[in-house]
Amino acid sequence: MRILLKLTLFASILAGTAFSQGSVLLVGGGSENYNDWSDVPYRWLVTHAPNRKIAVLHYADTTTWFSGYFPSLSPCSVSNRAISSVAQANDSATYRFLLQHDGIFLRGGDQAQYVRFWKGTLTQQALKEIFQRGGVIGGSSAGEMVLSDIAFGGGSDLGALLRNPTSSITLVEDFLSLVPNMIAESHTSERGRIGRLPVLLARYKSSSGREVVGAGVDANTVLAVDSSGIGEVMGGSAV
């Protein structure tokens, strides 16, 4: 069952904050497939790319499955690239390649690797420029978690955090930060992370003095945020 719910919550989340002109697709994880839950939100990503030029990115491999899937949803061109080192992420050729696209999709994996290889590089700069000029940036699971203002960069697992809320974790600021005032979580219900997100929020407030919103996105579910800052939930579960 597809759930479409127009959200006005972003009006309060983003109060007093100028939202950039791009769009964001926050995918809580799950396996995409033809004629399945992913069709509607991934078509949204393609149609929000002004020139329909999509780059599917990862920090390790170049799986090409999306090269057939995205065009089946709506006409577009798709490139696949792994950016797997700081040197590659900071290469001017990589920067030029990325700027040829107006839609970006970050695949799942380990969000700490995106931060490790891309933070402070031309790749980070290119993704922000694409967004600021009206492009769309999406990500699933780990790719979703690095799109929000504050990213969970790794550390203690959920059990350790709940036993000892002072356990070591890494919260990353100033990476992509495409959705202001938010920490995004993935696989929220499926992996029992509903207990982790409040800890992340509290730890961030304790260290920064700043209060932000947590968005827990379930697997097979998407929060799409358009250029006006209004969110729409799509998929089979909840945000």
Side-chain angles (χ1 to χ4, degrees), residues 16-34:
T17 302
F19 199 78
S20 299
Q21 60 260 47
S23 303
V24 184
L25 192 75
L26 302 169
V27 184
S31 297
E32 304 90 352
N33 206 352
Y34 293 85

Side-chain angles (χ1 to χ4, degrees), residues 138-183:
S140 178
S141 191
E144 174 243 28
M145 294 170 72
V146 297
L147 301 183
S148 58
D149 196 359
I150 313 302
F152 173 56
S156 300
D157 63 20
L158 176 60
L161 276 177
L162 295 182
R163 289 190 299 271
N164 178 12
T166 63
S167 298
S168 175
I169 60 173
T170 300
L171 294 173
V172 179
E173 297 179 285
D174 301 324
F175 181 43
L176 296 179
S177 302
L178 303 184
V179 185
N181 304 323
M182 177 185 285
I183 297 175

Side-chain angles (χ1 to χ4, degrees), residues 90-104:
N90 217 22
D91 191 325
S92 60
T94 301
Y95 177 72
R96 292 192 300 271
F97 163 79
L98 292 172
L99 291 183
Q100 294 170 12
H101 302 84
D102 50 11
I104 301 292

